[in-house]
Amino acid sequence: MTAPDYDHRAIENKWIERWESGGYYRAELQPERTKRYVLVMFPYPSGPAHMGHVANYSLGDVVARYYTRKGYNVLHPMGYDAFGLPAENAAISSGVHPSEWTRENIRLIRADLRRLGYAYDWSREFATCDPEYYRWTQWFFLKMYERGLAYKADAATNWCPSCGTVLANEQVLADGSCERCGSLVQPRWLNQWFFKITDYAERLLDDMEELEGWPERVLTMQRNWIGKSHGADVDFELVSTGEKIRIYTTRPDTLYGVTFFLLAPEHPLVDRLVAGTGREREVREFRQRMSGRTEFERTSLEAEKDGVFLGDHVVNPLNGEQVPVYTANFVLVDYGTGAVMAVPAHDQRDFEFARKYGLPVKVVIQPPDYELVSDEMTEAYEDPGAMVASGQFSGTPNEQGKQAVCDCLEENGWGKRSINYRLRDWLVSRQRYWGAPIPVIYCDSCGTVPVPEEDLPVILPEDLLLAEGGKSPLPLEESFYAAPCPRCAGPGRRETDTMDTFVDSSWYYFRFVSPRDDTAPFDSEACRYWMPVDQYIGGIEHAILHLLYSRFFTKVLSDLGLIGFSEPFSNLLCQGMITRDGAKMSKSKGNVVTPGDYLDRLGADTLRLYMLFMGPPELSKDWSDQGVEGAHRFLSRVWRMVHERYLPVLQGAGVVNDSGGARHREMRSLTHRTIASVTHDLEEFAFNTAVSFVMELVNGIYHYTSGEKADPDVLSEAVLATLSLLAPFTPFICEELWSVLGEEGSIHKQPWPAYDEELARPEEITVVVQVNGRVRDKLRVSAHIGALEMEEKAMACPNARKFIGENEIRKVIVVPGKLVNIVI
RNA sequence: GCGAGAGUGGCGGAAUUGGUAGACGCGCGGGGCUUAGGACCCCGUGGUUUUAGUAAACCGUGGGGGUUCGAGUCCCCCCUCUCGCACCA
């Protein structure tokens, strides 16, 4: 019998149409049912889907479909992170309007996602550039402003000369280049909007306890990013004026080893100190040199220590010693207090500085096993030890000494214990066009006035062209910036900066619960039901920024009393990158493969299956053309299994159940075993092995239907289980074959198959016979064999006997149902 | 430098609590079917050695030690790679 061809295209078109018109994946709020909110990080629409999207969304789709089949009420939405620089870059290079470019790309990626057969509730789709959406992004800004969490300040910003905008610290790569365009970022002082995320540093840290379903490495990365440290603030008095300068240190135990004092080049005291010393020019030149460099350049490990003496001294409160004040390149103005006590003996940076400028090195911590001599030191000693030359503290172990010194500082009013974070406030304003306008109006008499809620959204005009050099047209467009002051109705000027796109994506998962609500960012009842997200899935590249910002937003919402939880994502899965020839796919490397080609040639099911079969989700995976062919071969094999092996049996080629047949029992056992294994693996997100189990089942069915006749009932069970288990992975072919077999309804609405424990256990098992832990023989025995009988049989094995020989048997270890180890 | 993770065939990768290392797939080899096949079905496939062959022995999870009847898995030391942070006082 010849099977019809496996025509993936016809099948896909047919079922996409039916699923969508039937509203198969529409999610309804059903309070009596248990929900599962499955969310995959929404895409930035920069073109058609790429392989990374397919990998990511295929994962999410299997999870969503599996939960649906398990009986949960599943929300699985999709939208677009649609504001941002690439749209403007496209506008600059090809003249197309960012809005048009974005809408076209949404159209392209949506078409690919539909073809891939993802079970999205498309009725909830939105883009962050829709006014109905960014209205609420602006609303969030107002809430932040009301709570004092949005503020404007002069800040050393990362200016990207090529993008013509300020970047967040997070958007500057480790080598000091722009995340988007790669050009070297320059520092620039500007008045910018910030979100006060630092107010939440402690909670962002503490609440990680709740995030048991997050990968450890993501938590670690966030923890490092927040960078909490314990130490002390200490006031040093300026010799010339008696003015106090506060420093922060994590090593109060080394206070007696201070031999100089450092200020950041930008520290406000630098100018005043140097005035009248005759060193003004030197200092000015130094600062000029520093200001031309980014934080990265100045703080890279390779950069040489550099500084200038400021002509003044400070007094160490603990021992009354006077030490000189310098300004130094490696001191950061925005960490701690911008001033540092220098202990060259116990800090490598200070050590290098001291050696370069001939400053004294004073040992105040002695290692337990040898003695430091300051003149002979080639590097700082930063490890634990006992305090020496430290007055009353001498002899104290340094960890204990930290506390003692802090007590002393506090008792004398010289300083206090303090905690610092590396986390900086989030710079959210962008001097760009394609983003959500910041809803603020500046008035000469009222100052900064927020736009009233009822006046939102502040519409971003979509009919403007980018100005000269790709700059934002907003500051030049009177119809945009001219606005009456909401307070006094006098003439005002609108803020023309837009928000960082990370603001847009920090709350989109809330919007999906009620995307058409025009009275609130989200409906509280829908939110109570659907949130938090049960399973969030996305790339590891968002481990810090997006996830930290989203956590921050959720906590603010919680403080506003709008929600009753403070963590948005209960479980997180970070999937690896798709590479080709070991490298990230990129146009410049010419190693890009696009889903579209494979969708045409091999079909959506093949592509999905291959992505999931390649390896564990969290590992990065290298694309292989041969591998994807293999996936297609397997699906063809499933197709033929139904048409060439199963249908003929249904039509009378099989035998009536001869109940004694071990072959039939073995087939049933394999079926049930496979259901058990696949179910287990899906719970663990071990998709690659889940697929391999189905492959084994298919191999088993081919084996069963070769030669001897098959029992139609046994075969039915096996074939239907195959389709049922495979359906979340390859929805089209399974739905098609399901209907070919005349089964009722959609396979995607069937309950997840159950298995019979008893049947899943094979009748016969293999027992390994070891002598001294080495495999010497194998036995096929009944699964119900007892331990004693196992031992007897093992002892009788000829090969085992051979190795035992004349030796004395010291011990026999029996692992029931597994092995017998004879120790001689 | 600090932190996290990982090293298993020619390749991607499998191996509950320590219990048959290499599932499944790719690739490769052989056979069948075929005018033919790159389609399909079946078989084989870690290495070395011995054997005409059936078979068998030894070696084998980055390297070296250890615990154990038994170690890819546990412990100690070392090497390599990937990722993140990186002068944060």
Side-chain angles (χ1 to χ4, degrees):
Chain A
M1 168 171 183
T2 42
D5 283 345
Y6 167 37
D7 178 354
H8 63 84
R9 246 191 267 209
I11 296 171
E12 286 166 16
N13 292 335
K14 170 176 158 190
W15 290 108
I16 285 172
E17 165 62 27
R18 294 199 192 173
W19 292 337
E20 284 185 10
S21 61
Y24 273 38
Y25 309 120
R26 197 73 56 81
E28 309 281 353
L29 197 163
Q30 294 172 294
E32 73 287 357
R33 291 181 64 199
T34 307
K35 64 90 184 183
R36 279 280 194 281
Y37 184 176
V38 177
L39 184 65
V40 187
M41 291 177 187
F42 66 167
Y44 181 82
S46 58
H50 56 67
M51 285 301 177
H53 292 130
V54 180
N56 219 348
Y57 298 133
S58 297
L59 281 180
D61 200 49
V62 173
V63 173
R65 287 178 182 277
Y66 172 65
Y67 285 156
T68 303
R69 301 272 305 279
K70 290 283 276 188
Y72 295 107
N73 190 23
V74 170
L75 173 59
H76 188 213
M78 181 45 68
Y80 311 95
D81 186 14
F83 273 135
L85 279 176
E88 292 191 21
N89 292 340
I92 295 163
S93 62
S94 61
V96 57
H97 193 275
S99 160
E100 210 176 299
W101 183 84
T102 303
R103 301 284 169 196
E104 171 62 9
N105 284 327
I106 287 177
R107 204 182 57 73
L108 290 173
I109 194 166
R110 182 197 291 120
D112 280 347
L113 297 179
R114 280 185 69 232
R115 275 184 86 179
L116 280 153
Y118 297 134
Y120 296 132
D121 178 351
W122 285 109
S123 74
R124 292 172 189 259
E125 182 189 35
F126 64 78
T128 56
C129 63
D130 299 337
E132 299 77 25
Y133 180 83
Y134 68 70
R135 167 184 180 179
W136 300 109
T137 306
Q138 293 170 338
W139 176 90
F140 267 98
F141 183 94
L142 295 180
K143 292 293 159 194
M144 293 280 186
Y145 187 79
E146 276 169 32
R147 296 183 73 83
L149 292 170
Y151 67 94
K152 217 175 181 193
D154 280 332
T157 59
N158 305 296
W159 177 262
C160 174
S162 139
C163 299
T165 189
V166 163
L167 304 173
N169 286 338
E170 291 87 339
Q171 288 164 320
V172 182
L173 300 178
D175 64 352
S177 66
C178 170
E179 174 192 69
R180 304 249 189 233
C181 73
S183 51
L184 215 58
V185 171
Q186 299 166 353
R188 195 182 262 204
W189 286 80
L190 289 172
N191 202 237
Q192 298 284 313
W193 282 100
F194 288 87
F195 281 167
K196 216 168 179 184
I197 191 172
T198 51
D199 270 10
Y200 285 76
E202 195 59 37
R203 279 170 68 193
L204 287 166
L205 212 49
D206 287 348
D207 290 354
M208 279 185 215
E209 298 289 324
E210 288 176 39
L211 302 178
E212 283 164 17
W214 282 40
E216 193 53 47
R217 61 173 172 156
V218 173
L219 294 177
T220 306
M221 279 159 75
Q222 293 217 347
R223 217 170 272 128
N224 290 344
W225 192 262
I226 295 167
K228 182 180 183 175
S229 73
H230 294 265
D233 287 342
V234 185
D235 293 327
F236 281 65
E237 209 176 278
L238 209 53
V239 169
S240 58
T241 64
E243 195 174 342
K244 286 185 172 145
I245 311 177
R246 176 160 287 193
I247 59 100
Y248 170 73
T249 179
T250 53
R251 294 294 304 271
D253 54 318
T254 62
L255 257 165
Y256 281 83
V258 174
T259 56
F260 52 100
F261 192 90
L262 300 169
L263 295 176
E266 302 85 356
H267 196 285
L269 270 177
V270 171
D271 275 338
R272 275 174 42 207
L273 288 188
V274 82
T277 60
R279 298 169 195 274
E280 292 91 334
R281 199 167 141 202
E282 200 186 345
V283 170
R284 199 178 327 118
E285 279 172 7
F286 174 73
R287 288 180 63 170
Q288 205 125 43
R289 224 162 48 234
M290 290 308 123
S291 70
R293 297 181 195 176
T294 61
E295 185 174 305
F296 169 78
E297 287 176 294
R298 272 175 47 197
T299 60
S300 94
L301 277 174
E302 294 83 51
E304 202 183 312
K305 302 293 169 281
D306 205 354
V308 182
F309 177 49
L310 294 176
D312 210 336
H313 290 71
V314 290
V315 180
N316 183 339
L318 233 55
N319 59 10
E321 275 177 26
Q322 296 193 2
V323 296
V325 180
Y326 283 71
T327 177
N329 61 339
F330 61 93
V331 181
L332 309 172
V333 72
D334 56 354
Y335 182 78
T337 61
V340 176
M341 67 177 208
V343 184
H346 306 295
D347 182 285
Q348 185 58 26
R349 299 156 296 179
D350 298 346
F351 182 84
E352 288 167 29
F353 193 87
R355 285 289 191 249
K356 177 166 175 183
Y357 293 99
L359 293 158
V361 174
K362 185 179 165 198
V363 173
V364 292
I365 305 286
Q366 280 295 354
D369 44 357
Y370 63 100
E371 187 160 339
L372 289 173
V373 178
S374 60
D375 291 346
E376 292 165 9
M377 290 173 75
T378 53
E379 58 178 11
Y381 178 79
E382 298 180 342
D383 292 325
M387 293 173 70
V388 296
S390 299
Q392 54 172 313
F393 303 101
S394 295
T396 316
N398 74 307
E399 281 306 319
Q400 205 179 312
K402 279 182 188 171
Q403 299 309 318
V405 171
C406 283
D407 289 341
C408 173
L409 290 170
E410 287 174 359
E411 279 160 25
N412 293 287
W414 295 330
K416 59 174 176 47
R417 286 178 170 81
S418 115
I419 288 170
N420 261 271
Y421 301 92
R422 304 167 71 157
L423 182 71
R424 314 292 167 88
D425 277 340
W426 174 12
L427 200 170
V428 295
S429 46
R430 295 288 181 274
Q431 294 67 54
R432 304 301 318 180
Y433 167 51
W434 192 235
I438 292 175
V440 159
I441 292 169
Y442 301 105
C443 167
D444 283 341
S445 42
C446 307
T448 302
V449 182
V451 172
E453 253 179 76
E454 57 273 20
D455 291 352
L456 296 182
V458 175
I459 292 282
L460 178 75
E462 294 201 11
D463 54 355
L464 301 181
L465 296 175
L466 287 183
E468 184 77 29
K471 286 203 178 75
S472 170
L474 297 179
L476 309 170
E477 183 62 30
E478 197 183 345
S479 65
F480 178 76
Y481 68 69
C485 168
R487 204 162 288 163
C488 70
R493 185 182 166 93
R494 224 179 255 296
E495 172 64 81
T496 52
D497 282 0
T498 55
M499 281 186 257
D500 178 8
T501 53
F502 274 104
V503 180
D504 306 324
S505 59
S506 290
W507 73 279
Y508 77 104
Y509 43 92
F510 279 103
R511 189 63 181 167
F512 279 129
V513 308
S514 55
R516 309 289 169 242
D517 193 334
D518 58 4
T519 62
F522 53 87
D523 176 74
S524 59
E525 191 195 345
C527 177
R528 220 175 3 257
Y529 180 71
W530 290 114
M531 284 295 290
V533 173
D534 295 280
Q535 184 63 56
Y536 199 30
I537 301 172
I540 187 73
E541 66 274 18
H542 293 111
I544 299 176
L545 306 182
H546 165 61
L547 292 170
L548 197 67
Y549 294 153
S550 295
R551 295 182 59 219
F552 166 55
F553 261 59
T554 303
K555 289 174 199 310
V556 173
L557 281 176
S558 172
D559 288 353
L560 285 165
L562 294 173
I563 57 173
F565 54 92
S566 57
E567 284 294 338
F569 313 122
S570 306
N571 295 286
L572 175 69
L573 177 66
C574 286
Q575 119 280 17
M577 255 188 349
I578 305 299
T579 59
R580 184 151 176 247
D581 308 320
K584 193 172 171 176
M585 291 187 200
S586 72
K587 278 181 198 150
S588 59
K589 290 199 197 79
N591 63 346
V592 179
V593 286
T594 53
D597 304 340
Y598 294 88
L599 288 174
D600 290 342
R601 201 159 56 79
L602 302 171
D605 283 336
T606 294
L607 200 50
R608 293 170 56 120
L609 183 73
Y610 174 57
M611 282 294 182
L612 293 156
F613 182 60
M614 277 172 101
E618 60 279 4
L619 253 57
S620 75
K621 286 156 285 223
D622 205 60
W623 178 265
S624 148
D625 266 338
Q626 284 173 332
V628 75
E629 295 285 349
H632 190 255
R633 200 175 306 158
F634 170 70
L635 291 180
S636 307
R637 197 163 147 85
V638 170
W639 181 263
R640 284 190 310 272
M641 172 185 84
V642 168
H643 284 98
E644 296 172 5
R645 300 289 175 123
Y646 179 44
L647 288 177
V649 169
L650 270 192
Q651 287 150 15
V655 293
V656 184
N657 194 352
D658 60 332
S659 53
R663 285 178 63 244
H664 307 306
R665 171 61 167 75
E666 192 42 50
M667 182 70 249
R668 293 205 67 191
S669 177
L670 177 61
T671 302
H672 286 260
R673 226 162 40 233
T674 304
I675 296 170
S677 305
V678 172
T679 306
H680 174 266
D681 281 359
L682 283 180
E683 292 290 338
E684 307 280 311
F685 296 162
F687 306 110
N688 54 330
T689 49
V691 172
S692 78
F693 282 118
V694 179
M695 287 172 166
E696 283 182 82
L697 177 58
V698 170
N699 290 344
I701 292 171
Y702 268 84
H703 195 74
Y704 179 61
T705 51
S706 300
E708 290 176 76
K709 284 185 175 177
D711 179 314
D713 293 336
V714 170
L715 187 54
S716 237
E717 183 179 61
V719 168
L720 294 181
T722 304
L723 299 180
S724 190
L725 295 174
L726 208 52
F729 297 86
T730 57
F732 293 110
I733 189 174
C734 292
E735 186 79 306
E736 175 68 16
L737 290 173
W738 187 257
S739 85
V740 163
L741 296 180
E743 294 294 327
E744 288 289 307
S746 167
I747 195 169
H748 305 300
K749 301 257 178 174
Q750 303 304 313
W752 189 250
Y755 60 93
D756 182 325
E757 294 263 5
E758 195 49 46
L759 276 170
R761 208 168 293 136
E763 287 272 270
E764 277 208 320
I765 53 166
T766 303
V767 167
V768 172
V769 181
Q770 297 183 329
V771 177
N772 280 359
R774 314 200 55 147
V775 180
R776 295 304 179 188
D777 220 326
K778 289 173 188 178
L779 292 169
R780 285 294 291 176
V781 297
S782 152
H784 307 289
I785 191 168
L788 257 176
E789 199 187 338
M790 267 175 75
E791 184 173 339
E792 276 168 29
K793 288 211 171 178
M795 298 294 272
C797 276
N799 208 42
R801 283 250 65 97
K802 191 174 103 192
F803 279 88
I804 295 166
E806 297 304 308
N807 295 293
E808 180 197 349
I809 294 170
R810 286 181 31 215
K811 165 147 92 156
V812 179
I813 289 148
V814 179
V815 182
K818 281 237 161 117
L819 63 76
V820 178
N821 188 12
I822 302 161
V823 186
I824 57 173

